[in-house]
Amino acid sequence: MKALGGDVEKSAAQGADVFIQSLQNEGVEMIFGYPGGAVLPIYDALYKNPIPHILARHEQGAIHAAEGYARVSGKTGVVIATSGPGATNLVTGIADAMMDSLPLVVFTGQVASAVIGTDAFQEADIVGITQPITKHNYQVKDVNDLPRIIHEAFHIASTGRPGPVLVDIPKNVSNEIFTLSEVKQTEVDLPGYQPTTSPNFLQIQKVAQAIQKAKKPLILAGAGVLHAKASEDLVKFVEQSKIPITNTLLGLGTIKGDHPQFLGMAGMHGTYAANMAICECDLLINFGARFDDRLTGNLDHFAPNAHIVHIDIDPAEIGKNVPTDIPIVADAKEALQSLLNLGVVTDGFSEWTNHLNKLTEEFPLFYKQSEEGILPQQAIEMIHKHTGGNAIVTTDVGQHQMWAAQYYKFNNPDHWVTSGGLGTMGFGFPAAIGAQLAKPKETVVAITGDGGFQMTLQELSLLQESQIPVKVIILNNQCLGMVRQWQQTFYEERYSESLMPSQPDFVKLAEAYDIEGYKVSTVEEADQVFEKALKSNKPVLIDCRVKQIENVYPMVAPGKGLHEMLGVKE
Amino acid sequence: MKRVITTTVINQSGVLNRVTGLLMKRQFNIESITVGHTEQPGISKMTFVVHVEDQRKLEQLLKQLQKQIDVLKVNDITDKAIVTRELALIKVLSPPAVRSEITSIIEPFRATVIDMSKNVITVQVTGDPEKVEAFIDLVRPYGIKELTRTGATAFVRENQKTPSQQLSIL
């Protein structure tokens, strides 16, 4: 038998060697991780048989980076952490990946089988903890199961509706001798997991008929289109059918931001035209969006006159929030292609389209110009200007996220990496690192807030160490902007613990990590520094001081319908 | 509404936890769960009785269960011809004075006395949950010292009657 570890004293492969070979068999090109006691055998095997490894400075940084990598590359992100605290530090990222359907395989070390359940040093029941926030999870009991489980994990994570899969490996399993003759990729045999990808043709025909009958149809495209790599097909269908289109937050980039049929994002901070289109349409065709409450607003007022078509790869999403007239369980690409094959030709719905175009013209996104300082919306527009809409943009959650979604007009799919479902502060910066590693030649901009950045800023270490040219732009308003906005609007300006007047000197901080840092406080300064920084091939941090009291508008207040928007017009 | 749902699952450690965790996460109210092996090795079957608000909630429940990797099959068998059985063990206070009275209740229910002491008898009753309920109600006045129920297990009858629209006048 061939020794996989290359260690002369060992005649046989151990679990850890089998682990590495299994990852190689899956074509894993990089691992995001952090070592520790229970994964020492794995890291030792990695030392002997290297797969590129990105050493984050916190497990949360590692997993968000893996999410960014997965979102941008379309490949499965791989994470390793040790048992106990290493594993529990991953929980936020696992939940985030679950909510936004990102394919991850997460490996955690576990204490030795003999002491599991005894509250041993660095023991945590990570399988139990992550059951509600993973697509599936495993604990390996026998080293001979390791190749099969790893192969299944990658299969489950990346097929159907993608999601995170956790594999917990007790330390003794990593050390055990593998007794099978070879590490081979067997066929996946999961009778309980057979995702449907091809649409039912009769249902597709019904959609075509519904379009013919409709006077005011609307397409809503979500991240499912991106996961299915179907944005080209979507644009073809949009142009063929001449139906106007809106996006969910996570669906941005499925169609060019300046496409004439695109109404902008819909939902809580969507455009007036997009939300009114939902309120008024008589046919709503949803490709790969899950009718999240931030999109729908009050369900009683959501698309009240519309026939609803819902195309989703996850049958459980269909009818979950919004009753559906034509349900289709399918991969967005396959559904779009069968619709394209039917060749739906329409007269262009000119009355409807003109009406919506008029709404776009009359009620555009707007902000009040300010004499002094930088407005955050202006900052996003400047970033757009200097990157031509072609950068990969990552964000956390909050005001900066919504402004980026509103004012950065994306030209390309898979260039928008944001924490939508879970709304995770601290996501954007490490996700940018993963995105940059996936696409080294692209410009990657992490737009964060001063609050979120301080949750994972330790990953600055990585920029210098691995020469990752991420541009970090902190829209620094010295407060938790969205919290402050809600307190202003719904809590009578009682700014309870949302103001952060004391900030570190972010420029000095950057310098401490040997990274170029700039502070900008005026539009002119910002314009110059952005231009220089966004063309640079080095990491840069920009502390962009923006106006504190500035709100994201328009807005649908929680509990209200999409027709009740605040801040639409002066 | 009360629904009887059966799921066929791969018998792996944690599968019960996975299913009950899912129900808890989605706020479904479980009345009972029973689990046991089936005729196929490695395959178990769960029967659970749940309360759901409406058809949509029910559909969501079935779909979410179906999504689990270890779950092979999910069926809502409530509206079919089904066999449902439950077992209850009941310790009833039975001083000699009332013992024969209690025994006379046991007989028509085809319940069995499985243990006896000076003042307490232990009775085993099986049947559909309503029968078990009725039996418990009958012996309650004598004083129930301890009670344990297994929860319902069920499957569909081999012969499904085709529902007829006409009602018999007899």
Side-chain angles (χ1 to χ4, degrees), chain A residues 131-132 135-137 141 156 161 190-193 314-316 318-321 323, chain B residues 10 12-14 17-18 25-26 56 59-60 63-64 66-72:
Chain A
Q131 232 158 37
K135 189 170 171 188
H136 195 53
N137 61 16
K141 306 239 155 66
I156 293 169
R161 178 180 181 176
L190 293 167
Y193 177 67
D314 180 354
I318 297 177
K320 187 181 84 177
N321 296 334
Chain B
I10 296 177
Q12 270 168 50
S13 71
N17 195 2
R18 224 177 264 287
K25 175 184 169 190
R26 306 265 171 195
R56 244 177 74 195
E59 190 185 309
Q60 181 60 203
K63 284 172 166 177
Q64 290 292 348
Q66 190 66 67
K67 239 170 102 167
Q68 296 295 311
I69 311 283
D70 292 334
V71 172
L72 300 175

Side-chain angles (χ1 to χ4, degrees), chain A residues 71-398:
Chain A
R71 178 74 286 268
V72 164
S73 70
K75 296 173 192 160
T76 301
V78 178
V79 183
I80 302 179
T82 192
S83 66
T88 54
N89 277 346
L90 296 173
V91 167
T92 305
I94 296 173
D96 191 273
M98 183 71 174
M99 290 287 262
D100 289 348
S101 309
L102 295 174
L104 291 188
V105 175
V106 177
F107 295 99
T108 48
Q110 184 54 277
V111 298
S113 305
V115 291
I116 291 179
T118 65
D119 304 324
F121 176 66
Q122 290 195 331
E123 182 188 358
D125 172 20
I126 198 64
V127 173
I129 290 169
T130 59
Q131 232 158 37
I133 53 167
T134 47
K135 189 170 171 188
H136 195 53
N137 61 16
Y138 293 92
Q139 187 170 65
V140 185
K141 306 239 155 66
D142 178 341
V143 67
N144 291 323
D145 290 335
L146 200 51
R148 173 185 60 82
I149 287 176
I150 291 175
H151 190 43
E152 282 179 8
F154 276 86
H155 175 73
I156 293 169
S158 60
T159 54
R161 178 180 181 176
V165 178
L166 180 133
V167 181
D168 195 36
I169 308 174
K171 191 172 184 181
N172 57 306
V173 171
S174 305
N175 281 326
E176 249 158 51
I177 301 298
F178 185 69
T179 57
L180 298 180
S181 57
E182 56 178 326
V183 180
K184 59 174 181 189
Q185 258 184 358
T186 45
E187 284 284 301
V188 171
D189 177 25
L190 293 167
Y193 177 67
Q194 308 286 341
T196 307
T197 58
S198 300
N200 180 307
F201 188 62
L202 290 175
Q203 295 294 90
I204 291 285
Q205 278 179 321
K206 274 194 206 166
V207 179
Q209 285 158 9
I211 294 171
Q212 299 299 348
K213 263 192 251 162
K215 297 227 162 6
K216 303 171 178 180
L218 177 68
I219 291 169
L220 169 69
V225 174
L226 298 171
H227 293 306
K229 300 185 174 54
S231 52
E232 258 181 57
D233 307 86
L234 177 78
V235 175
K236 259 191 227 162
F237 177 68
V238 166
E239 288 173 356
Q240 188 188 74
S241 65
K242 306 189 185 73
I243 302 174
I245 172 171
T246 180
N247 274 161
T248 64
L249 171 69
L250 287 179
L252 290 173
T254 47
I255 188 161
K256 273 188 203 292
D258 57 2
H259 191 283
Q261 281 167 260
F262 181 53
L263 303 170
M265 179 175 76
M268 183 174 265
H269 295 294
T271 64
Y272 184 74
N275 283 347
M276 286 308 117
I278 289 177
C279 293
E280 294 172 21
C281 68
D282 60 2
L283 174 68
L284 180 66
I285 311 171
N286 173 348
F287 291 98
R290 59 187 180 87
F291 287 128
D292 177 79
D293 56 278
R294 283 291 196 268
L295 173 89
T296 62
N298 188 330
L299 282 170
D300 296 339
H301 304 288
F302 181 75
N305 311 313
H307 266 274
I308 309 266
V309 179
H310 191 175
I311 299 159
D312 204 299
I313 195 147
D314 180 354
E317 285 304 337
I318 297 177
K320 187 181 84 177
N321 296 334
V322 173
T324 306
D325 299 290
I326 308 176
I328 298 177
V329 178
D331 173 82
K333 193 177 186 81
E334 293 195 29
L336 278 159
Q337 284 179 343
S338 35
L339 272 168
L340 283 168
N341 289 341
L342 279 182
V344 184
V345 181
T346 69
D347 63 3
F349 313 102
S350 53
E351 207 177 308
W352 170 235
T353 314
N354 289 342
H355 168 64
L356 294 175
N357 288 345
K358 228 168 98 191
L359 290 184
T360 303
E361 241 168 71
E362 268 179 56
F363 306 102
L365 293 171
F366 73 95
Y367 54 88
K368 224 193 272 175
Q369 297 284 350
S370 166
E371 294 294 304
E372 68 218 72
I374 310 167
L375 286 173
Q377 299 94 326
Q378 280 179 303
I380 305 282
E381 284 183 335
M382 279 189 272
I383 297 168
H384 181 266
K385 183 178 83 182
H386 292 301
T387 55
N390 291 316
I392 294 173
V393 175
T394 73
T395 75
D396 290 354
V397 67

Side-chain angles (χ1 to χ4, degrees), chain A residues 372-550:
Chain A
E372 68 218 72
I374 310 167
L375 286 173
Q377 299 94 326
Q378 280 179 303
I380 305 282
E381 284 183 335
M382 279 189 272
I383 297 168
H384 181 266
K385 183 178 83 182
H386 292 301
T387 55
N390 291 316
I392 294 173
V393 175
T394 73
T395 75
D396 290 354
V397 67
Q399 285 189 319
H400 71 277
Q401 175 191 38
M402 289 300 132
W403 283 315
Q406 290 177 332
Y407 291 94
Y408 195 91
K409 313 284 182 208
F410 291 91
N411 283 334
N412 309 302
D414 300 329
H415 277 55
W416 171 233
V417 185
T418 193
S419 174
L422 196 68
T424 307
M425 287 178 76
F427 170 87
F429 172 44
I433 294 174
Q436 184 77 78
L437 289 163
K439 296 262 174 79
K441 287 184 185 145
E442 305 251 1
T443 304
V444 178
V445 188
I447 301 175
T448 76
D450 46 300
F453 182 62
Q454 290 187 72
M455 287 195 174
T456 45
L457 60 76
Q458 71 285 348
E459 305 308 334
L460 281 171
S461 252
L462 266 179
L463 298 192
Q464 178 55 24
E465 183 178 84
S466 306
Q467 285 302 307
I468 302 167
V470 163
K471 318 291 181 280
V472 184
I473 301 181
I474 307 167
L475 297 189
N476 188 348
N477 56 7
Q478 309 212 344
C479 68
L480 303 175
M482 195 59 96
V483 173
R484 193 207 52 71
Q485 176 172 341
W486 282 49
Q487 287 172 336
Q488 181 187 358
T489 318
F490 308 117
Y491 295 88
E492 293 158 343
E493 303 186 19
R494 290 189 293 276
Y495 297 132
S496 178
E497 303 299 322
S498 60
L499 307 181
M500 291 180 164
S502 158
Q503 300 281 23
D505 183 331
F506 288 113
V507 175
K508 277 193 189 154
L509 182 81
E511 281 163 6
Y513 285 97
D514 202 10
I515 293 166
E516 274 177 50
Y518 301 91
K519 179 174 155 182
V520 294
S521 315
T522 65
V523 175
E524 292 70 39
E525 266 178 353
D527 201 49
Q528 281 168 15
V529 170
F530 283 2
E531 183 177 14
K532 197 170 112 195
L534 291 167
K535 291 208 170 83
S536 144
N537 55 3
K538 283 198 212 136
V540 182
L541 180 145
I542 303 167
D543 178 9
C544 178
R545 295 301 176 109
V546 295
K547 195 177 154 202
Q548 185 173 57
I549 306 290
E550 183 64 27

Side-chain angles (χ1 to χ4, degrees), chain B residues 1-43:
Chain B
M1 51 187 182
K2 192 156 123 178
R3 307 302 293 184
V4 182
I5 290 159
T6 61
T7 56
T8 311
V9 300
I10 296 177
N11 189 3
Q12 270 168 50
S13 71
V15 64
L16 177 65
N17 195 2
R18 224 177 264 287
V19 168
T20 51
L22 163 72
L23 295 171
M24 185 177 82
K25 175 184 169 190
R26 306 265 171 195
Q27 295 223 298
F28 289 104
N29 191 2
I30 312 168
E31 188 174 295
S32 76
I33 287 198
T34 56
V35 200
H37 296 292
T38 63
E39 74 287 356
Q40 285 171 280
I43 306 287

